[in-house]
Amino acid sequence: MKKSRCGTMPWESDLPAMGIIPFPLPRLDWYSRSTSTAITHDDLHPRHPMTPQQLHGIALVRKRIDEIDNTVLDLLKERLDCARTIGKLKDESKRAKWDPQRELEIYERLRKNNADVFPPAALYSIFHEIITTCRLSQRKATVAYLGPEATFTHQAGVRYFGQTASYQPMESIPEVFQEVERERVQYGIIPVENSIEGAVTYSLDSFLLYKVQICGEIKLPINHNLVNRSGNMEDIKTVVSHSQALAQCRQWLRKHLPGVPAMPVFSTATAAKMAAEDPSLAAIASSLAITTYQLQVVVRGIEDFQGNKTRFLVLGDKSPSRCGNDRTSVVFGLINRPGALNEVLTILSAKGIDMTKLESRPAKNQLWQYVFFVDMVGHIEDPPVHEACNILKQICAYFEILGSYPAAEAAMPAD
């Protein structure tokens, strides 16, 4: 058997002498027992009789698990120290701490080396938290989000930045923009569109009022849960939630709770808090809200359409360098003449640029005038995108680059 780089396995040689073949071993409940090598009551329970040799074999394997855990911890501490050293060197050279290209290389190397032995999704989650924690050790990130605590926006922030960032809830989307623009926080996170309900207009309009840059995105699966204090549907007299959550569950509510009124509130987290205080209320809320406000689940996953996702944007003072899997977002206004929009689309097409989104919004300062938000594949450092944007600046009445950033399909921020 291939030995771990952490050391040899002396207990292996003891097992054959006891009539036990070292591998493959039967599945062990190591999640609950790996912290101790002691034989527990369950091991001696009459329903699970075990021979002394088997009990000794389990104790030896548990001892090895403890050794592995200690080695992993030592390596994590060493990695943290290395990350801090990198941070100091980058400070000296005035380089940005966020390197998306390096991030992609780390995840790709781990994926190949793993060869699907360890569950890939769990591997990604573990290393995302490790990498994010190491990056934040250089400078702890402060993140403004649309609050209160336990909203889907908060959940997206934790998914993106990890548990160790400092999160500051805001009462409105414009406040998130304002906090980032005034440099009271390093980052902000806002919802920008939902796969079912469409654009979040407050977010789009705020880009016209505040000078911030998009530096990342995340697409979060939205699973709506009906929750209350008791977990019983018969106790529900009113359903409360954010207007979009109610809209995304309207068919389910109409079928299963006919005649029960639905009341829109500021956020899904506000709804959860209200339900925690009033036994007659049920909330449509996130899984994070359930644990935060200690609610009981009545029904999970009541959204009308499967695959419901919300796209969130990460705001900062500057966009990161290219990583090879990027998006660029721009906003522009047109001179009022025939074919003006078609001219813009023709320029993007001629440069071979894939446009992934086109959204119009009324210009607030001119009646019946509109601005257009466009997302395109590529980074502003890529020649085709750079050249196309330079041409658009010349022919548009108004043009602004909102940011270039790693696409949600790429790995999340690391160092």
Side-chain angles (χ1 to χ4, degrees), residues 308-323:
N308 181 13
K309 288 188 177 183
T310 294
R311 179 180 174 228
F312 298 85
L313 296 179
V314 180
L315 311 177
D317 61 351
K318 61 182 178 181
S319 295
S321 58
R322 69 186 301 276
C323 73

Side-chain angles (χ1 to χ4, degrees), residues 29-47:
D29 187 15
W30 59 272
Y31 286 101
S32 60
R33 301 179 182 177
S34 61
T35 56
S36 173
T37 59
I39 302 302
T40 66
H41 170 76
D42 288 343
D43 297 325
L44 302 175
H45 197 281
R47 290 179 298 176

Side-chain angles (χ1 to χ4, degrees), residues 13 17 55 72 76 107 109 123 126 175 219 237-238 282 284 327 371-372 382:
S13 58
L55 293 174
V72 169
L76 287 175
Y107 283 104
R109 172 174 53 81
L123 182 74
I126 291 168
E175 281 189 62
K219 296 175 182 176
K237 301 298 183 289
T238 303
I284 298 174
R327 296 286 183 273
V371 293
F372 297 87
D382 297 332

Side-chain angles (χ1 to χ4, degrees), residues 362-392:
K364 304 303 181 183
N365 56 351
Q366 290 181 303
L367 191 63
W368 311 124
Q369 295 295 310
Y370 294 84
V371 293
F372 297 87
F373 291 85
V374 166
D375 294 340
M376 62 187 83
V377 176
H379 195 281
I380 192 61
E381 296 173 1
D382 297 332
V385 177
H386 183 74
E387 293 166 7
C389 288
N390 282 340
I391 297 173
L392 295 181

Side-chain angles (χ1 to χ4, degrees), residues 141-210:
T142 53
V143 183
Y145 68 94
L146 179 61
E149 184 183 7
T151 58
F152 283 109
T153 309
H154 184 198
Q155 188 173 330
V158 172
R159 176 91 172 267
Y160 194 91
F161 290 100
Q163 298 283 351
T164 53
S166 175
Y167 295 96
Q168 299 182 15
M170 299 292 129
E171 293 186 358
S172 68
I173 287 174
E175 281 189 62
V176 176
F177 278 81
Q178 190 176 76
E179 292 296 294
V180 175
E181 182 186 60
R182 297 185 179 182
E183 299 183 353
R184 293 172 180 159
V185 295
Q186 289 174 266
Y187 301 102
I189 186 161
I190 52 137
V192 70
E193 63 178 323
N194 177 264
S195 59
I196 294 173
E197 296 299 317
V200 180
T201 56
Y202 284 115
S203 295
L204 296 180
D205 292 344
S206 294
F207 279 110
L208 303 175
L209 302 175
Y210 301 95

